C-alpha cells in the first residue's frame, strides 16, 4: 500500500463503520429467528436428531461459495473501487488442536462466538460471563502462543 | 411483514442471510467475514500487555467491533420486537435424552437451570458458563477462526485448512456431546 493510500484510510471517519453494524444487525436477527442461538439446536446437531443446523451452515456455505465465484468471474470490486482479495489460509497444527478444543467447548456452551453476542442481546445476561471468559481464553492463547505447537 | 418475520424462520432463510454476509462484507470494504477475531481486537485494545500477538494496529480492524455490536443489537431487536411465544420445536429424541440426563428446562433458548446467575457458583454452572467459554475463546484463536471464519468464509473460498478446522470442530462437538456432556449435566 502506498503512503498516499494509507493517509486516505486513516482519514476515514469512524461512522463509516456503521454499515458493518447494520450487516451485523441483520445477521443477529437471523441468528435468533432461525434459533441458531439455541443451546438445544446445537445439541440436536451433535446428536444427529435434526437437519436444521446442517441446513443453515450448508446453505450458508453454498451461497457464500456462489457469491465468491460471481465476484471472481465478473471481477466485481468493492464500493470504493478496490480489487477484492481473499488471502489464502495456511495450514498449521492449531487448526487441529485448537479446532478440537473449540468443538468441545461449543457443545458445552451451545454457542460459537457469533451466537454468544446474540444471546447477550436477547437478554441472557449471564452469557456476558461466558463472553468474558472466552476473551480471557483468547488472551491466554496470545500469552502462550510461542510455546504452543503450530 | 412484521407478522411474517416474527414466525420462526426456516433453516434456508437463515442460511441465505449468513451466506450473503460473505459477499456483502467483501463488497462493502474488502472485509473477511469472521467473528472470533473480534475478541483478539478487544484484547489488543484493552490489555495488550506487550504480547506480540496483541501488538498491531487494531484501529484498522474496528469494523469487526461494529459488526459484533450489530449482532448483539440484532439479538435484542429480534427477541424484543420480532418474537412470538411459540416454544422452539426441538427434536423429541434430543429432548428426551437431555431430560434423562438431568436437564430440567427444555423450553427456552438455553436450559435456564444450567445457564443462570444463580448456578454460576456451582461446579456445573462454572463448567458450562466459564470453562466452556474459555475453551471457545482459546480454541477458536488457536484454530485461527470459528464457525464463521472457517466453516462459512473458509469453506466458501475453498480453503482446505478451513475444512480441517471444521472437521475438528465437529469431532470435538461429538466427543463432548456423546462421551462427556452426560456426566457434566449430572454434576
Amino acid at each position: 500500500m502506498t503512503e498516499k493510500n494509507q493517509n486516505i484510510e486513516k482519514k476515514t471517519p469512524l461512522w463509516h463503520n456503521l454499515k458493518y453494524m447494520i450487516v451485523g444487525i441483520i445477521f443477529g436477527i437471523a441468528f435468533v429467528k432461525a434459533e441458531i442461538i439455541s443451546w438445544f439446536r446445537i445439541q440436536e446437531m451433535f446428536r444427529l436428531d435434526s437437519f436444521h443446523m446442517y441446513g443453515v451452515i450448508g446453505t450458508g456455505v453454498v451461497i457464500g461459495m456462489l457469491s465468491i465465484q460471481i465476484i471472481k468471474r465478473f471481477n466485481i470490486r468493492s464500493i470504493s473501487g478496490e480489487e477484492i482479495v481473499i488471502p489464502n489460509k495456511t495450514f498449521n497444527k492449531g487448526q487441529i488442536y485448537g479446532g478440537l478444543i473449540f468443538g468441545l467447548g461449543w457443545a458445552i456452551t451451545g454457542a460459537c462466538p457469533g451466537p454468544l453476542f446474540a444471546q447477550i442481546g436477547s437478554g441472557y445476561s449471564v452469557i456476558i460471563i461466558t463472553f468474558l471468559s472466552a476473551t480471557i481464553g483468547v488472551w491466554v492463547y496470545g500469552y502462550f502462543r510461542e510455546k504452543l505447537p503450530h | 411483514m412484521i407478522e411474517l418475520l416474527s414466525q420462526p424462520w426456516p433453516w434456508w432463510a437463515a442460511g441465505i442471510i449468513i451466506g450473503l454476509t460473505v459477499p456483502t462484507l467483501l463488497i462493502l470494504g474488502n472485509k473477511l467475514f469472521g467473528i472470533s477475531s473480534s475478541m483478539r481486537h478487544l484484547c489488543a485494545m484493552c490489555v495488550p500487555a506487550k504480547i506480540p500477538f496483541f501488538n498491531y494496529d487494531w484501529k484498522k480492524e474496528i469494523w469487526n467491533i461494529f459488526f459484533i455490536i450489530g449482532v448483539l443489537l440484532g439479538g435484542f431487536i429480534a427477541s424484543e420486537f420480532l418474537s412470538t411465544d411459540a416454544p422452539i420445536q426441538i427434536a423429541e429424541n434430543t429432548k428426551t435424552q437431555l431430560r434423562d440426563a438431568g436437564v430440567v428446562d427444555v423450553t427456552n433458548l438455553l436450559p435456564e437451570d444450567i445457564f443462570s446467575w444463580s448456578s454460576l457458583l456451582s461446579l456445573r454452572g462454572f463448567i458450562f458458563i466459564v470453562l466452556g467459554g474459555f475453551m471457545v475463546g482459546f480454541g477458536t484463536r488457536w484454530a485461527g477462526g470459528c464457525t464463521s471464519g472457517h466453516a462459512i468464509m473458509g469453506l466458501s473460498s475453498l480453503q482446505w485448512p478451513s475444512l480441517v478446522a471444521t472437521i475438528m470442530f465437529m469431532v470435538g462437538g461429538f466427543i463432548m456431546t456423546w462421551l462427556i456432556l452426560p456426566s457434566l449435566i449430572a454434576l
Side-chain angles (χ1 to χ4, degrees), chain A residues 108-127:
Chain A
I108 299 181
T109 60
C112 32
L116 284 181
F117 296 109
Q119 284 177 344
I120 296 169
S122 294
Y124 289 91
S125 56
V126 74
I127 303 301

Side-chain angles (χ1 to χ4, degrees), chain A residues 51-64:
Chain A
F51 174 72
H52 189 90
M53 283 307 301
Y54 294 98
V56 170
I57 297 173
T59 313
V61 172
V62 170
I63 298 286

Side-chain angles (χ1 to χ4, degrees), chain A residues 33, chain B residues 1-7 9 81-82:
Chain A
K33 291 313 298 172
Chain B
M1 188 67 181
I2 296 288
E3 187 88 341
L4 181 70
L5 288 177
S6 300
Q7 301 304 314
W9 294 6
F81 306 110
L82 298 172

